[in-house]
Amino acid sequence: MKGLVFSELMDMVEAEHGLAVLQDVLDQAQPSSGGAYSAVGNYDHQELVSILGVLSRKVHQPLPDLLRRFGEVLFGRFVIKYPDFFVAPQNTFEFLSTVDRTVHLEVRKLYEKAELPHFDYEYPAPDHMVVVYRSCRPLADLAEGLILGCAKHYRESIDIERFDIPDETQSHSRFHIKRRSPQ
Amino acid sequence: MTELDLLRKKLERERRAREEAEEIIENMSRKLYSAKLTAELASKTKSEFLANMNHELRTPLNGILGFCDVLLSQVAGDLTGDQLDFLTQIRSSGARLAKTFGQIMSIASLQDGTEILRIEEVAVEDTIADMLSAAGARAQAQEMIFTVDIEAELPIVKADPIALLKMISNLIDNALKYSQPGKEILFLAYKNTEGAVQIDVIDQGLGMTEEELRNAIVPFYQADGGLSRKHEGAGLGLSIVQGLAEAQGASFALFSVPHTVTRASIVFPLGDRKGSSSASLPDAGTSHRPVRTTVDRAPAARGVKSL
């Protein structure tokens, strides 16, 4: 998994829980990298799950909630770091539709061996989109957080209904995203 | 753990992350440098191969064409009617091969950036007069109407005269190739509304769909591709025109309505020197001969620009 995700996680934990908590978490989780993450490096995704697992116990918040929160924060960082991706899409559905064919394409140009999740899209109705998420990592909660962060960026109200599909080889979920009408 | 200790540990993590990032970037830079060297070597090898092929193919081909001409002139002895026909076929096939090869070399050097152009101040009409006369004769032979309409006092342009000839020759070749007997091919040169010199070659031939127009400048593309295609050629003409236009700072545009009309336009940047063309084209005879009509107004007035 790309180091950028880890370095952003370190920043978020420090910003939201303090440097002492971050140090405690790293001391307990004992990630093999030692918690020194560079944005251009690659690290085992288990380190992320392990760090968030320790944090979850420490701050008494469920792991899925922490992953979703991290997803929201991470999306906000993407908007700041990669503004070009957000020029053309005008709303949540439009942006999500570009992830596989544009965002991941650009990521692969820089990181040929990046193991990225795969997305398929369905559009049952104008205000209803289905994002089918497949990944070799069990990070559907993080994906959900990223979708929520996307809606926040476009200042849209959405409801997400998630269906996890049992799959022995990969994480597989269907996100039914419904756009609420403006009040 | 004191705050100072925490900050020290954070600093240590960041130092290690920075060192790791530096190592990754160094490795990537080495790989990029190596890939650049490989690409440069491949490009050099390709250029050398093309230069060799240029010599190896052109030399025997020139021999074949030259001796065909000698035999056809019958200075080496009289030929029977069949022999003349066969030799004419050999000459024509050889000329076609030479032309295709020349086009392949042109597109290769344009793509390589090794095409050397000599941009100078050019009087368009003087430069293309002979070629237009020859094109008129070809049109006449194919029973087509070839109309030339060049605005008087056409400004001097900045172009490479040989490239200019090559571009217009390719456009007229295409117009002749895709037109039918009885149809008109229009050659226009005029000062457009922006004050630049524009050359249009307009034909009433097959025309192109939007998709075909998009692909028209893709090298080796032919709208009627495949084994069943009716028109010969390597599909390089328009790519060469586009490449030469770019290399000269000119612009090239295509407009077409299938089975109705195609207009190919080149717009040249103006030269610094004032002046105009002086050569004269053959006078109008019948409508099947090259026609020169000097006009004092832009062709837009005739509705040409609305195509």
Side-chain angles (χ1 to χ4, degrees):
Chain A
M1 183 176 246
K2 290 313 302 175
L4 172 72
V5 178
F6 290 85
S7 54
E8 291 298 338
L9 175 66
M10 298 293 101
D11 288 349
M12 184 195 83
V13 175
E14 184 182 339
E16 298 195 349
H17 303 282
L19 190 53
V21 170
L22 173 63
Q23 189 59 54
D24 266 1
V25 167
L26 289 174
D27 288 344
Q28 283 183 52
Q30 294 282 314
S32 52
S33 65
Y37 300 110
S38 80
V40 290
N42 268 309
Y43 307 92
D44 187 342
H45 79 276
Q46 285 297 347
E47 289 193 20
L48 184 99
V49 177
S50 156
I51 289 167
L52 282 166
V54 173
L55 181 69
S56 161
R57 290 191 292 278
K58 193 164 182 62
V59 298
H60 308 293
Q61 282 181 33
L63 179 59
D65 289 357
L66 283 175
L67 273 166
R68 272 193 293 274
R69 170 69 188 145
F70 178 46
E72 276 189 62
V73 172
L74 189 59
F75 193 91
R77 294 292 300 149
F78 286 160
V79 174
I80 293 165
K81 286 180 84 83
Y82 309 106
D84 288 355
F85 288 134
F86 302 90
V87 173
Q90 295 299 304
N91 56 49
T92 308
F93 286 7
E94 281 183 22
F95 177 80
L96 292 176
S97 303
T98 69
V99 172
D100 231 42
R101 67 168 195 273
T102 309
V103 180
H104 286 176
L105 191 74
E106 292 302 316
V107 174
R108 281 192 199 289
K109 284 183 194 170
L110 284 175
Y111 308 106
E112 198 184 353
K113 290 177 184 167
E115 288 176 345
L116 302 167
H118 177 75
F119 293 99
D120 286 312
Y121 308 102
E122 294 164 19
Y123 304 90
D127 60 351
H128 182 187
M129 177 185 190
V130 179
V131 175
V132 183
Y133 163 88
R134 288 187 183 86
S135 172
C136 55
R137 305 181 185 108
L139 294 174
D141 292 314
L142 181 65
E144 189 174 335
L146 286 164
I147 295 169
L148 288 166
C150 179
K152 205 169 167 183
H153 169 69
Y154 287 107
R155 296 192 174 126
E156 287 181 310
S157 299
I158 58 163
D159 292 312
I160 301 178
E161 207 175 350
R162 182 172 131 198
F163 300 91
D164 292 330
I165 298 157
D167 191 323
E168 286 177 4
T169 56
Q170 57 185 356
S171 179
H172 184 175
S173 301
R174 288 173 68 84
F175 295 97
H176 283 256
I177 307 163
K178 288 186 181 162
R179 195 160 35 203
R180 280 184 235 147
S181 305
Q183 297 299 308
Chain B
M1 200 179 285
T2 66
E3 197 163 333
L4 194 61
D5 290 335
L6 288 171
L7 285 171
R8 271 202 196 103
K9 285 198 173 234
K10 182 183 177 186
L11 203 61
E12 174 60 16
R13 279 199 306 276
E14 288 184 349
R15 186 187 61 76
R16 276 190 285 129
R18 193 193 68 226
E19 283 173 1
E20 188 190 334
E22 284 167 356
E23 193 183 327
I24 291 168
I25 289 165
E26 267 182 34
N27 283 335
M28 285 171 86
S29 297
R30 276 193 210 100
K31 279 185 191 166
L32 279 175
Y33 181 69
S34 169
K36 179 174 166 274
L37 288 183
T38 308
E40 282 173 356
L41 181 65
S43 173
K44 188 167 171 268
T45 308
K46 180 184 156 199
S47 297
E48 283 171 2
F49 172 77
L50 287 171
N52 282 340
M53 283 300 101
N54 193 18
H55 176 75
E56 292 299 327
L57 287 176
R58 274 194 201 280
T59 307
L61 201 50
N62 287 339
I64 292 167
L65 293 175
F67 281 106
C68 271
D69 288 341
V70 171
L71 290 173
L72 281 169
S73 69
Q74 305 199 47
V75 292
D78 291 342
L79 299 172
T80 66
D82 277 352
Q83 286 169 336
L84 270 171
D85 282 351
F86 296 154
L87 263 177
T88 306
Q89 285 289 332
I90 294 171
R91 178 74 178 77
S92 151
S93 297
R96 185 176 149 197
L97 191 59
K99 183 180 170 190
T100 303
F101 182 67
Q103 286 188 322
I104 291 171
M105 292 304 296
S106 278
I107 204 76
S109 54
L110 280 167
Q111 286 178 343
D112 273 5
T114 52
E115 177 87 5
I116 297 166
L117 297 177
R118 289 184 176 80
I119 307 291
E120 54 190 70
E121 308 244 307
V122 173
V124 173
E125 191 173 353
D126 294 356
T127 309
I128 61 176
D130 290 345
M131 190 189 65
L132 289 181
S133 296
R138 285 172 61 200
Q140 192 175 4
Q142 291 179 233
E143 297 176 2
M144 294 170 193
I145 303 157
F146 187 65
T147 305
V148 176
D149 194 339
I150 298 178
E151 187 177 330
E153 305 293 325
L154 202 61
I156 298 291
V157 301
K158 277 186 177 169
D160 175 312
I162 296 170
L164 171 69
L165 278 169
K166 208 185 271 186
M167 292 162 84
I168 294 171
S169 164
N170 270 309
L171 295 183
I172 292 176
D173 276 359
N174 264 7
L176 287 167
K177 193 194 292 182
Y178 294 107
S179 289
Q180 290 88 40
K183 296 287 184 185
E184 184 180 22
I185 293 167
L186 196 55
F187 178 93
L188 307 172
Y190 57 96
K191 201 158 92 175
N192 68 15
T193 47
E194 280 82 44
V197 170
Q198 179 161 339
I199 289 172
D200 293 340
V201 177
I202 301 166
D203 70 68
Q204 302 167 319
L206 283 180
M208 285 180 272
T209 63
E210 275 186 36
E211 191 192 345
E212 287 165 350
L213 268 180
R214 277 196 298 276
N215 288 319
I217 57 163
V218 175
F220 306 104
Y221 175 84
Q222 281 210 334
D224 62 338
L227 292 173
S228 61
R229 66 198 182 91
K230 291 178 190 159
H231 300 93
E232 64 181 37
L236 288 169
L238 294 177
S239 322
I240 291 170
V241 175
Q242 167 78 15
L244 288 173
E246 279 175 16
Q248 292 174 96
S251 63
F252 173 56
L254 280 171
F255 170 87
S256 192
V257 178
H259 305 292
T260 309
V261 70
T262 297
R263 182 189 66 199
S265 306
I266 310 169
V267 179
F268 286 96
L270 292 186
D272 301 326
R273 183 161 58 91
K274 285 190 176 176
S276 60
S277 309
S278 58
S280 60
L281 288 162
D283 288 335
T286 69
S287 59
H288 285 67
R289 294 186 60 194
V291 176
R292 177 177 191 263
T293 314
T294 303
V295 289
D296 292 319
R297 55 189 163 72
R302 300 167 28 150
V304 171
K305 289 199 70 187
S306 62
L307 281 171

